[in-house]
Each structure stands twice: as C-alpha cells, then as structure tokens.
Amino acid sequence: MKAFQKGHPSQKGRLSGNANAASPRLATVACALRLMLAGGMLAGLSQTALANDELIRLAQDHKQWAQQGKDYDHSHYSGLTQINRKNVKDLKAAWTFSTGVLHGHEGGPLVVGGIMYVHTPFPNITYAIDLNDPNKILWEHKPKQDASVRAVACCDVVNRGLAYGDGKIFKTQLDGRVVALDAKTGKVIWEMENSDPSVGSTLTQAPLVVEDLVIIGSSGAELGVRGYVTAYRMKDGEQVWRAYATGPDSDLLLADNFNATNPHYGQKGLGTSTWEGDAWKIGGGTNWGWYAYDPSLKQLFYGSGNPAPWNETMRPGDNKWTMSIWSRDVKTGKAKFAFQKTPHDEWDYAGVNWIGLSEQVVDGKKQKLLTHPDRNGIVYTLNRESGNLVRADKIDPTVNVFKGYDMKKGVPIRDPEYSTRMDHQAKGICPSAMGYHNQGHDSYDKKRELMMFGTNMICMDWEPFMLPYRAGQFFVGATLNMYATPGNNGNMGQVKAYDVKTSKFKWTKDEKFAVWGGTTTTAGDLVFYGTLDGFIKARDADTGDLLWQFKLPSGVIGHPVTYEHRGKQYVAIYYGVGGWPGVGLVFDLTDPTAGLGAVGAFKELQKYTKMGGGMMVFSL
Amino acid sequence: MKTYHALSIAAAALFIGAGVQAYDGTNCKAAGDCWEPKPGYPAKLAGSKYDPKHDPAELNKNQQAVQSMEERNAKRLANARATGTFKFDVN
C-alpha cells in the first residue's frame, strides 16, 4: 500500500475525492471537473486519471475487493484484522450461493460499493448480489454462446473473473467476446469480438482495467493460436492497441529502446529469426494468466505462454517471444522490456503465471520489483524499472530440467537428460507440464515481505509425435504421463513462504493435491487458500501452522477474497472443482494419458470430491 | 546435409561416451538466440524427416480471423457512435 501512497500524491490531488482535504478552491475545481466529466465534456486524458484514481482508492479501502489482484501490485494482501490468528478457529459459514453451473470455478468474486459480483464457468453468467440482502439476486447477465466452443477449450471451460471500472463490469466469454455491463443494472454497454473459436482461439482470462483501458489476453496455444494482448477503450470498446507474442517487430509492438538496458536478452528481429520459416504464425504465446500494473511507471506486466506445438522438434529455435515476462507502456502497448524465461520450450511451461509487485531492499538497495513463480520451477524476480534479473531460484530442489541459472546471460542451464525430443520417451522430468506452479493467484504479505505460494509437486514422462496443423483443431503432438514428485510421500502440492531478499523459504507445508487456486494473506497474520479436495484453510503467516479448515461442497481452483460489510469482515471463496487437474473427473476420462496427461496424476481426486459450483462466505 | 547428419551422429556417440553436454542453452550465436540442434537432430527441418510440411493457407487462417473480427468491431463502434446505441449485429 505504501508504494501507492508514496507514488501518487499528484494523482490524488488532481481529481480524487480527497481534493476536499486540500483547499475549498481546489475542491470546487474538482467538483466542476467531475460535472464536466459526467456530462461527457472532457475525454481522453482527464478521464484516464479518474479511472486510475478510482481503482487506486478502492484498492486502499480494505472493505472492498475491486479487482482480481486486490490492488495493482496484485498483492492479494488485505489490511483487515478482525479475523486473525487468535480467533480464526471461530470462523463460520455466514451465507452461501449456488451459481447453477458445474465445472471449474476459477478466480474470485469482486466486492465494490456493497455489491458482490459473481462469475461462472461457461456459459459465463454474471450475478450481482446486494450485500445488504444476499438472498436476492440484484441482476444477472446470461450470455447465449454456441455450445461448440466447449470443444476447443483445452482444459475445462473455466474463467478467471471480472473486472470493475468507471461504473462498469467487464467480462470475457469462452466464445472470445469481451462485454462491458452497467454495474448497477447489468445492461450491456458494448460487446466486441476478441478471439475466434473457429481457429481455436478462446478467452478464459480476467480483464484488467488500467487508465481508461480494458486489457484482454488470449487462449489457445494448444490449437496453434498465436498469442496477442489487446487494449480496448473502457468507454466504448474501441481497440486502442494489439500486441503479438511472435512475428515481426511491428506486430510485437516494440519500443525503440526495447531491452536497451539488457541487450543480452535479445532485441530486434527475434520474433521471426528464432523460428524456422512461417512457424511463428501458429507459434502460441497466448497470455491467459494475470497482470500487474505500476501506475507510477505506467507499465503493464504479464507473461506470454508456451510455443506451439508441444512437439519441440517441429519448431527449432528459441521461439521468441513466447515464455516471456513483458513490460509494456499501457497507453501505447509498446514493450520496454521482455525477458524470455524458457527459450525453446520442451515441456509446456506456459509462462503466464501470477506476477506480484513489491518494493524491497534487495542486494543493498531499495528496488521496485516484480516476482513471478513460473511453470518451469523457477521463481523470477526482476527489477521492474530496468528489467534486470535480480533472482532466479528453484521453487523446489527437485527441479531437474535446469541445472542452474546463468545470471549473466539470463538463461537457464538445461540438463540434456531431461530434454524432450522426437523418437525418445523422456522420463522423470520435474516439473511436469502442469508446472511446479500454475494459474493460482498468489499473495505478497506486505507486513512480512514474504511471497505466499501455492505450488504443485508433479513430474512427468513425455514423448512427442508428428502431426499436421489444421486451424481449429488441437495441435499438441505429445503424450504425457504425470505423477507426484518422487520421494514426497505421494503429496502433489505445497504451500510455502518465500523471501526474495534471502532466496530462502521461511516455511513449507505439504498438501495432498496441487494447490491450484492461489493464496490470500491478511494483516490478521493469516494465509487463506482452497484445496482441490474441497477445503478452505487458514495458516499462520509466520509459521505455516494450520489454524482452521472447513470442508466445502467441492474442490477449489479459485482464490479466497476478504471484505468488510457493515463493520463485519467476511472471507468468500468459490467451490467447484475442474480446470486442468479436474478434467478426468469433469469429463469422465480414465486413460491416464488423457486430458494432456492430467487424468493419471489426479486419478485419486474423485475419491475426495465431485463437481459443484457456488460460493461460501465466512465470518466470525 | 548428409555429411552434417553423419557428423552429428558421430558427435552424439562421442558425447554419450564421454558424458559431454549436448544442447544446454548457454552457447549463444547472438543475444537472445541460444538454440542449438540436439545431437543427431537437424538444424533445419525443411527436407528432413521432421519437416512439418505446413500448409501456408492453414497458417494464415489465424491472422485472417483476427482481421475479420477487427473489421466487424470497427463497424460496431462506428454504428454506436453514429446512432448513440450499441448494436452487436451490424452488417
């Protein structure tokens, strides 16, 4: 929170409600400006400042939970303390809500101004619930989508959530549409096509509202979709910029000084030269994970996904700029830096994971950082102003694909024994394609300066096969077997507290299944998370000790949120198992290699949970 | 190509024998370009047994789909600006 307060006094003074605190004259000016804005007399820049200010103000008010990341740092850290480590044992169900939909429920609800906004998997229904009377649905938006779109979703028909901004709710649909709804009435304000399912392109990602823009990602690298990120004008859906993950520099939208601070990361021309021929046209790199944003730098941070196909032999080269951490100017979309984590991916380590921002004294100086636990088993920390690589630590010592990290060159040192290639079945690769960390939205404990990770402990065998590319059809080309990391008592997950400063884990706790949905940390010294076998749990942020758990109707693949209403703190979480680990259970698959190899790994899951869909809300 | 192939197979055998590392990602021919073929595998796929033989028409379908969507969205926006009412189905 400090970073925001420190970094934005000018914005605060300019247009926010706090102008009243300055001088009466300023307050009058601000008031007049607002009236003009409401009347549509000012557009562009002024409106921009207002939108940012509103979300920054909402993020500082811990009674609200106005974006998936909680704040632009995507810290998932709440300052609320009513529920704390002394009394969490008394936490009880306050109210519940069924979404009326099965399949995996990812993300979390939003709470803005006393209203909770709930989203569902396909067909992506949105519900608004008045917290004064949660028994009644205020409004709902139920899109009509062609059922055929389900066939091109790689990993269950999930969706990671809604975004709020300027009195509107923004949502993505599996059929590729982006919709803006009036937050008060649910009425459609605009609706645009971002992705075309006929070429295998879908949407599962939550939008992010920044400045006067809505940022939208892409999905479908398992069907050879070339990834792109798009900014739409929040007001009317106008496309402002679109940047691709592969191809010519003009499509990549590179700034003139792209990677100037770290030229060894690579600069111009690599979006095509690190591919053979036109393979970049179906090269993957979709971004369906999370973003982070620094309003003082005006830079957007996110990760691009895996190259296509999974068969590495069919795409020689580093395959830039898939698998990269991007920093883009939010107004123009131009990339200031990109850092490729996994050059020439051979394991489907889609680099789209959570990015958490922090400001810490590391290596003797206070730095603006971004931290990113990747699928490939490495936790990266970069200086987010320069792009400099600060840390690259293994999430767990059992990571074997890389022997270590060449910090000077900024590349992983691969162990050829765990590479994949045609005419070869690779065995015992750690992590598996599901990664040691996947889509879970993790948290940064601002009090302790610790990252709280929910991780996976899954390894694999992998054998590629040749296949043709046909638009709209799966383009994977590998057969996988996945299983719990050997020597870990069959446990497939962990929760752990990581300190960037020391590269050490303060505590680590095992979980039976992968901790898929992420974590949320509070000033009440608690770490909350859900589990695939259907628990919501709270651990002590200092020790990791389990302080409370409750058995939900179904497994969890989303994240907890916490808010305050009428003086009372609540913790809310979706239940409804699914996503990639749930595909066996959801689609009744038994072949262990089905579901891109997840069915075998999670065969025991159905002994613990069944499908569901809804939310449970807890209070003292 | 043939000579190269034979050489790399020989090299691969040597590597295995001597325990020398194959492609480990640290030998870069340019900044940000550190890929190497694995021992026994071709540096170029065209004409090799791993040639993906992509159909150029199929490769272009992604981009065509995006262009069509952008055109339809532009019409929606223009119509909304002209009429003051948003309509998804605009011809």
Side-chain angles (χ1 to χ4, degrees):
Chain A
M1 252 31 294
K2 256 184 187 163
F4 283 137
Q5 280 160 355
K6 201 176 156 196
H8 304 286
S10 57
Q11 280 186 345
K12 259 186 146 179
R14 202 157 63 228
L15 280 173
S16 80
N18 289 354
N20 293 330
S23 72
R25 190 164 165 247
L26 260 179
T28 316
V29 172
C31 210
L33 270 173
R34 285 202 155 172
L35 284 172
M36 286 159 79
L37 280 169
M41 289 169 70
L42 279 180
L45 206 65
S46 309
Q47 196 164 3
T48 294
L50 187 69
N52 257 2
D53 280 357
E54 184 191 18
L55 278 160
I56 290 167
R57 181 178 54 77
L58 285 167
Q60 286 171 339
D61 175 2
H62 291 291
K63 293 173 183 168
Q64 323 268 348
W65 193 283
Q67 44 179 315
Q68 291 298 322
K70 171 73 170 68
D71 50 36
Y72 280 138
D73 289 349
H74 277 235
S75 71
H76 260 198
Y77 175 75
S78 168
L80 297 180
T81 56
Q82 192 180 92
I83 300 167
N84 54 57
R85 62 180 155 200
K86 288 204 179 86
N87 62 19
V88 69
K89 64 181 189 316
D90 299 324
L91 210 52
K92 289 181 178 59
W95 58 280
T96 64
F97 177 75
S98 166
T99 61
V101 182
L102 295 176
H103 288 272
H105 282 57
E106 285 187 356
L110 300 183
V111 175
V112 190
I115 295 176
M116 179 181 280
Y117 299 95
V118 174
H119 75 284
T120 78
F122 180 88
N124 310 118
I125 306 169
T126 308
Y127 299 104
I129 296 168
D130 183 350
L131 293 177
N132 288 323
D133 182 11
N135 297 322
K136 195 176 152 198
I137 296 162
L138 211 55
W139 57 256
E140 70 179 88
H141 172 254
K142 191 174 183 178
K144 285 192 170 52
Q145 297 185 58
D146 193 324
S148 65
V149 68
R150 297 166 60 105
V152 289
C154 83
C155 311
D156 198 11
V157 293
V158 294
N159 186 282
R160 291 182 197 86
L162 306 165
Y164 169 84
D166 196 28
K168 298 180 190 72
I169 292 291
F170 300 96
K171 65 188 281 183
T172 56
Q173 296 179 183
L174 192 65
D175 66 1
R177 293 190 193 177
V178 182
V179 187
L181 304 171
D182 184 308
K184 286 261 154 52
T185 64
K187 187 176 167 283
V188 174
I189 295 169
W190 55 261
E191 181 172 354
M192 297 292 181
E193 290 174 274
N194 185 78
S195 307
D196 184 348
S198 76
V199 293
S201 185
T202 52
L203 281 179
T204 58
Q205 196 195 32
L208 177 77
V209 169
V210 174
E211 303 280 329
D212 63 337
L213 304 172
V214 191
I215 312 296
I216 301 290
S218 51
S219 298
E222 278 59 58
L223 295 95
V225 172
R226 176 187 175 213
Y228 52 90
V229 56
T230 313
Y232 294 92
R233 188 93 58 205
M234 189 160 64
K235 181 178 61 176
D236 56 12
E238 180 186 9
Q239 184 179 314
V240 178
W241 54 261
R242 170 164 281 168
Y244 289 84
T246 70
D249 288 349
S250 54
D251 287 5
L252 298 169
L253 225 53
L254 304 182
D256 292 339
N257 62 349
F258 173 68
N259 275 349
T261 321
N262 289 288
H264 59 290
Y265 291 175
Q267 294 178 282
K268 301 295 169 75
L270 296 166
T272 50
S273 69
T274 59
W275 297 83
E276 181 175 332
D278 283 346
W280 57 267
K281 289 186 176 178
I282 50 167
T286 53
N287 61 294
W288 46 268
W290 307 102
Y291 301 103
Y293 175 62
D294 184 328
S296 64
L297 301 175
K298 301 219 178 288
Q299 295 285 311
L300 178 73
F301 305 97
Y302 72 96
S304 49
N306 57 291
W310 287 13
N311 182 344
E312 67 83 40
T313 304
M314 290 174 65
R315 45 168 176 79
D318 269 3
N319 307 141
K320 282 185 165 59
W321 288 90
T322 64
M323 303 298 212
S324 302
I325 299 173
W326 290 88
S327 171
R328 291 189 182 276
D329 175 86
V330 79
K331 286 282 201 188
T332 62
K334 289 201 171 162
K336 184 181 172 190
F337 68 78
F339 167 75
Q340 192 181 40
K341 297 163 287 177
T342 311
H344 185 72
D345 171 56
E346 305 181 358
W347 314 272
D348 180 39
Y349 294 149
V352 304
N353 289 359
W354 173 73
I355 291 177
L357 307 187
S358 68
E359 208 167 331
Q360 299 184 60
V361 178
V362 174
D363 299 336
K365 53 181 185 286
K366 192 163 196 183
Q367 303 192 48
K368 280 172 164 271
L369 303 170
L370 70 82
T371 298
H372 174 67
D374 194 68
R375 283 261 274 272
N376 69 11
I378 309 278
V379 186
Y380 295 88
T381 297
L382 269 59
N383 180 307
R384 68 176 184 269
E385 288 181 281
S386 61
N388 293 350
L389 181 61
V390 176
R391 293 282 185 278
D393 296 319
K394 288 186 175 179
I395 293 176
D396 188 85
T398 55
V399 170
N400 61 20
V401 285
F402 304 134
K403 290 178 172 171
Y405 223 87
D406 186 326
M407 295 296 284
K408 267 202 169 145
K409 287 182 181 165
V411 293
I413 303 159
R414 309 160 85 100
D415 186 341
E417 193 177 338
Y418 299 102
S419 77
T420 73
R421 52 198 187 269
M422 275 298 294
D423 307 318
H424 169 74
Q425 187 180 36
K427 288 190 180 284
I429 298 169
C430 304
S432 77
M434 297 181 105
Y436 268 8
H437 191 288
N438 203 286
Q439 64 86 37
H441 193 303
D442 278 329
S443 55
Y444 173 59
D445 185 332
K446 298 191 179 194
K447 203 154 122 187
R448 292 173 180 77
E449 299 193 331
L450 290 174
M451 302 279 166
M452 304 296 186
F453 296 149
T455 70
N456 306 340
M457 291 289 279
I458 308 170
C459 302
M460 68 174 173
D461 307 333
W462 170 300
E463 184 167 18
F465 57 87
M466 299 293 290
L467 82 173
Y469 170 76
R470 299 273 178 271
Q473 292 180 20
F474 274 82
F475 186 50
V476 174
T479 307
L480 284 68
N481 272 304
M482 295 199 255
Y483 38 84
T485 297
N488 199 39
N489 297 319
N491 291 313
M492 292 169 69
Q494 289 182 336
V495 183
K496 55 212 305 182
Y498 169 74
D499 187 342
V500 170
K501 295 185 282 295
T502 60
S503 288
K504 293 215 164 76
F505 290 90
K506 193 177 175 199
W507 52 263
T508 298
K509 299 289 172 183
D510 287 326
E511 279 287 348
K512 180 164 179 57
F513 294 104
V515 182
W516 199 259
T519 65
T520 293
T521 312
T522 72
D525 308 310
L526 296 169
V527 185
F528 287 97
Y529 62 98
T531 65
L532 285 172
D533 51 350
F535 283 92
I536 175 171
K537 299 187 180 183
R539 290 188 183 271
D540 186 310
D542 281 320
T543 62
D545 291 345
L546 184 65
L547 301 178
W548 173 78
Q549 62 177 3
F550 182 93
K551 184 75 162 87
L552 297 158
S554 175
V556 177
I557 57 171
H559 52 246
V561 311
T562 184
Y563 64 94
E564 187 183 309
H565 185 68
R566 290 185 161 173
K568 202 161 193 178
Q569 185 186 352
Y570 296 87
V571 174
I573 193 164
Y574 288 145
Y575 61 82
V577 80
W580 194 2
V583 290
L585 182 156
V586 161
F587 297 108
D588 272 332
L589 307 171
T590 50
D591 175 353
T593 65
L596 304 170
V599 171
F602 287 94
K603 61 180 183 297
E604 276 206 43
L605 188 57
Q606 32 206 324
K607 292 183 188 161
Y608 292 84
T609 193
K610 296 294 157 189
M611 279 200 279
M615 183 178 56
M616 285 198 73
V617 185
F618 299 88
S619 65
L620 289 170
Chain B
M1 202 68 202
K2 258 191 181 163
T3 321
Y4 172 80
H5 207 74
L7 269 176
S8 49
I9 287 166
L14 269 178
F15 283 166
I16 293 158
V20 179
Q21 284 181 1
Y23 167 48
D24 77 349
T26 62
N27 302 314
C28 308
K29 42 183 180 289
D33 191 356
C34 311
W35 180 80
E36 296 174 280
K38 289 168 188 155
Y41 289 79
K44 288 275 175 206
L45 298 183
S48 80
K49 71 169 174 171
Y50 300 121
D51 190 340
K53 294 176 185 154
H54 290 311
D55 175 351
E58 289 291 330
L59 293 193
N60 287 330
K61 282 185 179 173
N62 253 290
Q63 198 50 34
Q64 285 160 359
V66 170
Q67 272 165 16
S68 305
M69 287 188 292
E70 287 179 355
E71 284 161 20
R72 289 194 293 272
N73 287 343
K75 280 184 189 166
R76 286 174 189 127
L77 185 69
N79 183 67
R81 281 179 177 169
T83 64
T85 312
F86 182 83
K87 207 174 143 196
F88 183 80
D89 293 313
V90 181
N91 289 317

